[in-house]
Amino acid sequence: DRRLIMPLAMTGAPSRFVTSSRPLHCSRVLRLMVKAKASSSSSNSGGGGEPEDYHPWGSPPQRDLKKFRRIIAALYLIGGTGHALDFIGKGPFTTMGDATTFAALTPTQQLATVLWATLGPAASLGLTGDKAWGDAALVAVAILDAVGGFSGALGEAGTSAGAAQVAALAAYVYFARRAREDDEKQNNQ
């Protein structure tokens, strides 16, 4: 017997379907698969369906920008939460420096704490929603942290934090430029 019975028992189907008396032939299964693929291809090639290269996140440059935004959003949420802990003496500034309370931080560090605690989560929210203000918050945090870090106003770890923000800003500019160029190329076609 050259028939193939579909292993419905493995799919969790009810037993009444497993004991069906109508087995499927291998050739019938293959014909159904080819027919489904052919109808899918014809509908994707202009028959009113999505284009064949359709992706819900857009073109590859758009997908790269969205992936980058998701990664930075998570990092900025963590950074904002971490700096919010400085208010109770358990954050990066209060554990790495001489200050043990928020009041003992320098005014620049206090300002950076307030900005990070508010802009970090705000940027995260905007970036995950692909909002323009999320991108603006990313740029603001990166510039402020880089300037504060390289000026020495943020303490010992400021230079490495500034360097990380410069890298984040450079990556954002790269991905955003690629996505914009791809949009312009698609609009000109």
Side-chain angles (χ1 to χ4, degrees), residues 48-151:
E50 300 294 345
E52 195 164 319
D53 61 348
Y54 172 78
H55 192 280
W57 277 18
S59 65
Q62 291 292 335
R63 288 194 300 262
D64 293 344
L65 178 61
K66 288 179 185 264
K67 288 177 189 176
F68 173 77
R69 284 178 173 150
R70 301 298 185 272
I71 292 167
I72 290 296
L75 294 173
Y76 275 27
L77 182 61
I78 292 167
T81 304
H83 280 290
L85 293 174
D86 276 320
F87 292 120
I88 60 170
K90 303 289 184 198
F93 286 136
T94 54
T95 57
M96 290 173 33
D98 295 331
T100 56
T101 64
F102 178 76
L105 294 173
T106 67
T108 306
Q109 290 173 329
Q110 289 178 347
L111 178 63
T113 296
V114 170
L115 289 175
W116 252 112
T118 55
L119 283 179
S124 178
L125 181 65
L127 290 169
T128 55
D130 295 327
K131 307 291 185 198
W133 56 267
D135 292 342
L138 178 151
V139 171
V141 168
I143 290 173
L144 291 172
D145 218 10
V147 169
F150 290 126
S151 70

Side-chain angles (χ1 to χ4, degrees), residues 1-59:
D1 190 31
R2 293 186 173 170
R3 295 182 294 177
L4 170 71
I5 298 175
M6 297 293 290
L8 292 175
M10 295 175 64
T11 65
S15 62
R16 67 175 189 237
F17 295 119
V18 175
T19 59
S20 173
S21 62
R22 185 172 176 207
L24 294 175
H25 292 273
C26 287
S27 59
R28 183 167 181 224
V29 171
L30 289 174
R31 276 196 313 269
L32 290 173
M33 290 172 59
V34 168
K35 187 176 180 180
K37 177 65 178 163
S39 68
S40 169
S41 294
S42 66
S43 68
N44 286 345
S45 62
E50 300 294 345
E52 195 164 319
D53 61 348
Y54 172 78
H55 192 280
W57 277 18
S59 65

